[in-house]
């Protein structure tokens, strides 16, 4: 452990703002890259299924 | 004696979610005219563009004189005249300048023949005008003049008679007959009926299928 | 073989001449990039400061950026007319190598954009108080750099020729690729002003040009086939 | 076709269906491995790795900045490579891979730029410095944006795939030239300033967590790529019977 206390850890030797801002952004981009396609997948499946039903209805 | 010139096997093409054709086979022999029929949007132009090698949006095989198209592309292009929807005539250039550039693109053509071709399509007297000053029909004639200069075996013509008057059509038919007698062939689409004496075989493209209708 | 070579040469010469004739008949396309070059350069003293020393310092980069933008502006028309009237289809159906035709078209285009810009640049350089020592560096670097710009721009033009609104898109595609030319070009001018040796810059610009000459027409040809096919 | 020397799995990849199935099997594994590695690497880097003697704790940004930068570059290569395969062998899946990579790569370039800028503040005293690495990363982002813009401007999926493949290949040839020229330009304008990441021989306590993070990022964004790719496959293969079966069974 490179830090004495948890407060020390958060403070990052005065650079806390920069470090945590970076990691926050990192988390944001990682989560966006995973969640967006998952959400899109639901949408795609719903859309394609609706299409399929419409075609079956018209056939 | 007729031999196989161009053939296509199990062509498949889809566009904007519609299947234009599927499992389409066609064979064109020497001395034949093949007319592609079908309604608007049935894929006539697309088929001609595929056959000419302009479009690569298809699956299936093409053969030129029995060989796979990809391997004899250059020989094929040297033996092909394609006149599409767009005449391929530059508006800022005169008929003669347009045809001269065409000769540069096809080194087998004889520049001396330009004058003859211009005379044959009835553009004598218009040689010095830039094409944008000519009517649509006259522009079309510049494009058709390529046929008079060419010794290519295959002509692919998309609506060649658009904006051409009756006399012009008769002349084109005569030209085609001459081409056939020399062992050439033609693939074309046209909305006008051709004269009865023309040896035409037709190929109908069905209704394009909405994808999913089975 | 030699027969084939003469036909390639003929194709090049014919296409080159044809494009020159076309350009001279559509005069606006010929002069518009030059006017644009002039206007962009004029905007800077007005917008920033007319102070001679400041402008002199800015001049190398500014002239190069303006030359780059006006080349880009002229790029869009390279294949557009041919695409619209179907000449491009005919060109692709030629049994002759596409490489030659593309090279001829780009050369003709460069003659009327890049070379013209190079010739006009000294006038603008004087207006920006570029020291006289910088002049040869400016002209030579433009002479070596602008053909590369035309060759790379042709790829962008070929990729966007089938699109209705290709104008902004082409800048987005091509400008990042122009960065090395900009760097070496403007540095050459700066070096010329300070009296440093120029050989290295010209060698680098020449190397970029050689690479672009070898590869860009291939990419442009492929892009044209794709655009016409779609 | 003279491609007999290629292994069989290469052509199996060409089948969207096979690709959909295999990614479906791989995703849980990738999820477990990647999240473990990234969490491990982050905690290690943030809490256990020693602080840098010059930069102090702001150095810990390296564990995010460097993996993002490496991935942004290698994803561009992947995109160009997939595009080339799609062009040469008309392989649909390769096209789809190329299309799916682009937005992920662009977001990684953005992350690398932002973390670089934030790191720059305590190190250089300003948010942005025209450092050679940051500048090339910015150009890389522009290249990504160009590819994405071109792809979305062309309506036909096939044409869009081919056109972007040509563009990304042109970009790939240019990347080393741009990198070199920017580096050279940078040294010309600001002689030997304090570099962000170039450190002489990092001790193992520092680079081991970095390695863990890099591998973690590869797997994590590989996972993101697979998720995107599966959507792309479904959408483009919607006509195929296996997709229809899949959808009606999954109801």
């Amino acid at each position: 452990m490179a830090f004495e206390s948890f407060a020390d850890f958060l403070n990052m030797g005065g650079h806390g703002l920069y470090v945590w801002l970076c990691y926050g952004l990192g988390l944001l981009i990682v989560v966006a890259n995973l969640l967006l396609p998952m959400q899109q997948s639901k949408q795609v499946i719903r859309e394609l299924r609706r299409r399929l039903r419409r075609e079956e209805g018209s056939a | 004696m007729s031999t196989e010139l161009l053939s296509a096997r199990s062509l498949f093409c889809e566009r904007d979610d519609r299947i234009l054709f599927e499992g389409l086979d066609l064979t064109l022999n020497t001395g034949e005219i093949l007319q592609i029929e079908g309604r608007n949007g049935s894929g006539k132009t697309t088929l001609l563009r595929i056959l000419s090698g302009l479009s690569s949006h298809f699956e299936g095989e093409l053969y030129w004189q029995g060989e796979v198209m990809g391997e004899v592309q250059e020989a094929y292009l040297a033996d092909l005249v394609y006149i599409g929807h767009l005449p391929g005539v530059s508006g800022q250039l005169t008929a003669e300048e347009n045809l001269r550039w065409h000769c540069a693109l096809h080194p087998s053509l004889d520049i001396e023949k330009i004058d003859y071709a211009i005379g044959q399509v009835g553009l004598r007297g218009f040689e010095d005008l830039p094409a944008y000053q000519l009517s649509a029909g006259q522009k079309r004639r510049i494009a058709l003049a390529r046929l008079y200069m060419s010794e290519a075996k295959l002509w692919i013509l998309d609506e060649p008679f658009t904006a051409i008057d009756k006399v012009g059509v008769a002349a084109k038919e005569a030209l085609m007959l001459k081409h056939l007698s020399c062992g050439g062939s033609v693939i074309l689409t046209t909305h006008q009926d051709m004269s009865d004496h023309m040896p035409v075989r037709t190929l109908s493209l069905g209704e394009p299928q909405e994808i999913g209708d089975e | 073989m030699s027969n084939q070579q003469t036909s390639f040469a003929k194709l090049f010469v014919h296409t080159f001449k044809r494009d020159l004739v076309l350009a001279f008949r559509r005069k606006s396309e010929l002069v518009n990039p030059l006017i644009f070059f002039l206007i962009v350069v004029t905007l800077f003293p007005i917008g920033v400061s007319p102070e001679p020393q400041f402008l002199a310092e800015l001049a190398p980069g500014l002239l190069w950026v303006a030359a780059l933008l006006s080349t880009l502006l002229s790029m869009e028309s390279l294949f557009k007319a041919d695409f619209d009237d179907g000449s491009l289809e005919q060109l692709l159906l030629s049994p002759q190598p596409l490489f030659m035709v593309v090279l001829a078209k780009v050369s003709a285009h460069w003659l009327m954009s890049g070379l013209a810009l190079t010739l006009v640049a000294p006038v603008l350089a004087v207006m920006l108080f570029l020291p006289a020592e910088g002049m040869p560096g400016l002209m030579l670097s433009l002479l070596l750099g602008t053909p590369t710009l035309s060759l790379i721009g042709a790829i962008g033009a070929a990729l966007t020729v089938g699109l209705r609104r290709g104008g902004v898109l082409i800048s987005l595609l091509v400008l990042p690729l122009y960065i090395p030319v900009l760097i070496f070009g403007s540095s050459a001018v700066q070096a010329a002003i300070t009296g440093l040796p120029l050989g290295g810059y010209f060698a680098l610009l020449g190397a970029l040009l050689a690479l672009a000459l070898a590869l860009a027409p291939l990419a442009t040809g492929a892009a044209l086939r794709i655009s016409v096919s779609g | 076709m003279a491609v007999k020397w290629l292994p069989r799995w290469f052509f199996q990849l060409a089948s969207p269906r096979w690709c959909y199935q295999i990614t479906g099997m791989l995703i849980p594994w990738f999820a477990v491995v990647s999240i473990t590695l990234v969490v491990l690497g982050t905690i290690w880097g943030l809490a256990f790795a020693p602080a840098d003697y010059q930069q102090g704790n702001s150095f810990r940004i390296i564990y995010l900045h460097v993996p993002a930068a490496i991935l942004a570059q290698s994803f561009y290569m992947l995109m160009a490579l997939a595009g080339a395969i799609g062009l040469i062998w008309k392989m649909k899946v390769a096209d789809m891979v190329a299309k799916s990579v682009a937005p992920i790569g662009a977001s990684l370039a953005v992350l690398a730029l932002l973390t670089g800028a934030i790191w720059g503040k305590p190190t250089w005293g300003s948010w942005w410095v025209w450092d050679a690495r940051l500048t090339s990363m910015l150009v890389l982002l522009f290249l990504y944006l160009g590819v994405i813009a071109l792809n979305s401007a062309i309506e036909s999926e096939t044409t869009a795939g081919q056109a972007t493949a040509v563009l990304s290949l042109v970009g790939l040839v240019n990347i080393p030239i741009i990198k070199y020229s920017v580096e050279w330009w940078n040294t010309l304008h600001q002689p030997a300033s304090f570099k962000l990441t170039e450190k002489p021989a990092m001790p193992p306590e520092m680079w081991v967590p970095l390695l863990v993070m890099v591998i973690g990022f590869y797997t994590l964004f590989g996972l993101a790529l697979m998720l995107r790719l599966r959507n792309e496959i479904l959408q483009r293969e919607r006509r195929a019977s296996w997709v229809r079966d899949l959808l009606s069974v999954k109801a």
Side-chain angles (χ1 to χ4, degrees):
Chain A
M1 192 80 183
F3 297 97
E4 301 285 316
S5 67
F6 189 67
D8 247 14
F9 177 57
L10 286 183
N11 186 36
M12 286 279 163
H15 291 150
L17 172 68
Y18 307 116
V19 174
W20 293 114
L21 192 59
C22 276
Y23 279 83
L25 282 169
L27 188 69
L28 194 76
I29 282 181
V30 165
V31 168
N33 265 308
L34 296 179
L35 280 192
L36 286 181
M38 284 197 229
Q39 213 177 358
Q40 203 200 353
S41 143
K42 275 189 205 139
Q43 224 172 341
V44 167
I45 289 176
R46 204 181 314 133
E47 170 64 24
L48 290 182
R49 209 169 265 157
R50 194 181 306 143
R51 248 180 120 93
L52 202 66
R53 223 171 295 133
R54 204 170 50 222
E55 282 161 11
E56 274 163 7
S58 72
Chain B
M1 200 193 95
S2 75
T3 52
E4 184 185 299
L5 206 55
L6 179 75
S7 64
R9 240 160 273 163
S10 54
L11 288 188
F12 167 87
C13 177
E14 76 171 274
R15 222 84 321 164
D16 308 324
D17 250 1
R18 289 180 312 152
I19 296 179
L20 291 180
F21 35 84
E22 198 173 6
L24 180 78
D25 293 310
L26 69 83
T27 315
L28 180 74
N29 295 318
T30 52
E32 245 188 344
I33 297 179
L34 182 66
Q35 185 181 354
I36 315 285
E37 282 184 336
R39 291 220 226 142
N40 288 336
S42 60
K44 288 173 294 188
T45 294
T46 309
L47 179 59
L48 293 194
R49 286 171 63 84
I50 288 171
L51 292 178
S52 68
L54 279 176
S55 174
S56 56
H57 289 209
F58 69 98
E59 284 161 39
E61 290 115 56
L62 293 178
Y63 299 91
W64 172 243
Q65 296 182 322
E67 293 188 67
V68 178
M69 185 65 85
E71 288 162 23
V72 289
Q73 191 81 28
E74 225 168 277
Y76 175 59
L77 290 179
D79 250 335
L80 168 73
V81 178
Y82 169 85
I83 298 178
H85 259 294
L86 298 166
V89 170
S90 185
Q92 303 285 338
L93 299 178
T94 66
E96 201 200 327
E97 286 165 334
N98 267 303
L99 292 173
R100 266 180 185 279
W101 189 53
H102 184 67
C103 287
L105 292 177
H106 296 267
S108 63
L109 295 183
D110 185 2
I111 293 188
E112 307 295 320
K113 271 190 172 170
I114 290 177
D115 191 51
Y116 161 77
I118 287 178
Q120 287 295 311
V121 292
L123 284 176
R124 197 156 309 290
F126 296 97
E127 293 101 327
D128 296 330
L129 288 180
Y132 72 84
Q133 291 186 13
L134 302 177
S135 72
Q138 284 171 318
K139 264 194 220 174
R140 192 99 208 145
R141 282 156 189 262
I142 300 178
L144 290 171
R146 291 184 200 131
L147 298 178
Y148 286 94
M149 296 160 59
S150 149
E151 278 159 20
K153 287 196 187 113
L154 176 62
W155 295 356
I156 296 183
L157 312 173
D158 197 354
E159 302 288 346
F161 302 138
T162 313
I164 300 279
D165 55 32
K166 256 189 191 158
V167 185
V169 171
K172 292 305 145 321
E173 287 186 344
L175 178 67
M176 273 185 220
L177 283 177
K178 194 176 153 216
H179 174 59
L180 298 185
S181 69
C182 300
S185 340
V186 181
I187 301 179
L188 54 73
T189 61
T190 172
H191 283 303
Q192 276 129 318
D193 285 327
M194 308 239 287
S195 311
D196 295 333
H197 64 274
M198 300 293 286
V200 177
R201 191 156 63 88
T202 57
L203 173 82
S204 292
L205 294 180
E207 283 293 299
Q209 268 189 343
E210 196 69 41
I211 283 179
D213 292 355
E214 272 162 81
Chain C
M1 224 41 217
S2 70
N3 196 11
Q4 204 173 28
Q5 272 162 9
T6 53
S7 91
F8 290 175
K10 243 190 219 162
L11 176 67
F12 183 91
V13 173
H14 258 101
T15 310
F16 186 73
K17 273 195 203 153
R18 169 186 182 267
D19 273 38
L20 284 186
V21 168
L22 279 174
F24 277 102
R25 291 193 187 160
R26 299 186 207 116
K27 292 204 180 50
S28 71
E29 274 172 35
L30 202 61
V31 284
N32 283 355
L34 288 178
I35 299 174
F36 180 82
F37 189 41
L38 183 68
I39 294 177
V40 169
V41 169
T42 315
L43 289 180
F44 274 79
I46 298 173
V48 190
S49 151
E51 210 247 311
Q53 219 181 342
F54 173 74
L55 283 178
E57 204 177 314
L58 207 63
L62 177 52
L63 285 167
W64 255 98
V65 170
L68 197 141
L69 289 178
S70 48
T71 309
L72 188 69
L73 183 80
S74 67
M75 263 359 274
E76 205 197 337
S77 64
L78 181 56
F79 299 114
K80 197 76 193 161
D82 285 343
F83 181 83
D84 289 341
D85 66 26
S87 301
L88 204 54
E89 287 180 351
Q90 293 300 329
L91 194 162
L92 293 178
L93 290 174
S94 159
Q96 300 272 72
L98 193 52
F99 189 95
M100 274 296 169
V101 186
V102 170
L103 204 58
K105 286 184 84 72
V106 176
S107 311
H109 181 268
W110 170 77
L111 206 65
M112 279 152 330
S113 58
L115 186 63
L117 291 177
T118 308
L119 296 176
V120 177
V123 180
L124 297 176
V126 169
M127 286 165 69
L128 291 175
F129 307 102
L130 186 85
E133 305 84 63
M135 238 29 123
L138 176 70
M139 297 214 28
L140 269 172
S141 67
L142 281 173
L143 200 64
L144 271 172
T146 48
T148 314
L149 298 183
S150 292
L151 283 162
I152 297 174
I155 303 173
L159 283 171
T160 53
V161 72
L163 301 173
R164 246 166 292 141
R165 279 164 303 168
V168 188
L169 189 60
I170 185 175
S171 1
L172 198 61
L173 307 186
V174 166
L175 280 178
L177 304 175
Y178 278 178
I179 287 171
V181 181
L182 174 66
I183 288 176
F184 296 131
S186 58
S187 304
V189 185
Q190 242 141 18
I193 297 171
T194 43
L196 292 171
L198 289 174
Y201 300 95
F202 292 146
L204 283 168
L205 284 172
L208 288 182
L209 176 57
L211 191 69
L213 266 177
L215 295 181
L218 290 177
T220 308
L224 283 177
R225 276 191 204 288
I226 291 165
S227 286
V228 168
S229 177
Chain D
M1 287 271 145
V3 286
K4 291 202 181 81
W5 47 271
L6 287 164
R8 212 168 75 96
W9 59 263
F10 185 76
F11 290 99
Q12 276 180 329
L13 268 181
S15 147
R17 181 183 186 176
W18 189 83
C19 214
Y20 191 83
Q21 285 167 344
I22 206 90
T23 48
M25 289 194 303
L26 286 176
I27 279 175
W29 294 100
F30 265 70
V32 171
V33 171
S34 65
I35 290 170
T36 314
L37 284 175
V38 169
V39 169
L40 177 75
T42 309
I43 294 173
W44 195 344
L46 276 178
F48 294 93
D52 184 70
Y53 72 102
Q54 258 182 320
Q55 301 183 26
N57 285 309
S58 66
F59 168 76
R60 297 178 193 284
I61 294 173
I62 199 176
Y63 299 111
L64 203 54
H65 176 76
V66 166
I70 290 177
L71 252 78
Q73 292 174 39
S74 46
F75 268 31
Y76 193 94
M77 268 185 258
L78 175 64
M79 178 171 76
L81 199 72
I85 291 171
L87 263 188
I88 297 166
W89 288 294
K90 279 191 165 188
M91 199 183 277
K92 272 191 197 168
V93 174
D95 259 8
M96 298 181 204
V97 170
K99 192 185 171 190
S100 312
V101 169
I104 303 175
S107 71
L108 283 162
V110 169
L111 181 61
L113 281 171
L114 288 177
T115 51
I118 296 170
W119 191 359
K121 184 65 182 164
T123 313
W124 296 316
S126 71
W127 294 104
W128 181 261
V129 168
W130 290 96
D131 162 72
R133 281 156 184 261
L134 282 184
T135 310
S136 338
M137 189 49 71
L138 187 63
V139 179
L140 185 70
L141 176 64
F142 292 156
L143 292 178
Y144 269 122
L145 293 180
V147 168
I148 294 171
L150 183 65
N151 202 304
S152 58
I154 302 175
E155 278 168 30
S156 151
E157 280 166 346
T158 329
T159 312
Q162 291 173 334
T164 43
V166 170
L167 182 66
S168 38
L169 280 172
V170 171
L172 190 68
V173 173
N174 263 278
I175 284 176
I177 302 173
I178 293 173
K179 265 196 108 134
Y180 168 75
S181 60
V182 167
E183 252 158 51
W184 179 83
W185 157 83
N186 187 250
T187 47
L188 193 76
H189 286 267
Q190 7 176 265
S193 69
F194 189 50
K195 291 259 171 58
L196 262 189
T197 51
E198 251 169 45
K199 299 249 70 186
M202 241 187 256
E205 320 69 294
M206 279 181 168
W207 65 254
V208 173
L210 184 59
L211 187 68
V212 171
M213 270 308 250
V214 171
I215 299 170
F217 259 53
Y218 267 110
T219 46
L220 189 66
F221 285 89
L223 176 69
L225 172 60
M226 286 193 273
L227 289 172
R228 258 179 206 280
L229 178 64
R230 283 162 68 82
N231 291 339
E232 199 63 34
I233 292 177
L234 279 188
Q235 237 160 5
R236 282 217 221 169
E237 293 292 299
R238 57 180 174 261
R239 220 173 25 74
S241 55
W242 70 268
V243 174
R244 299 161 154 270
D245 293 345
L246 189 85
L247 289 175
S248 42
V249 169
K250 258 179 137 185

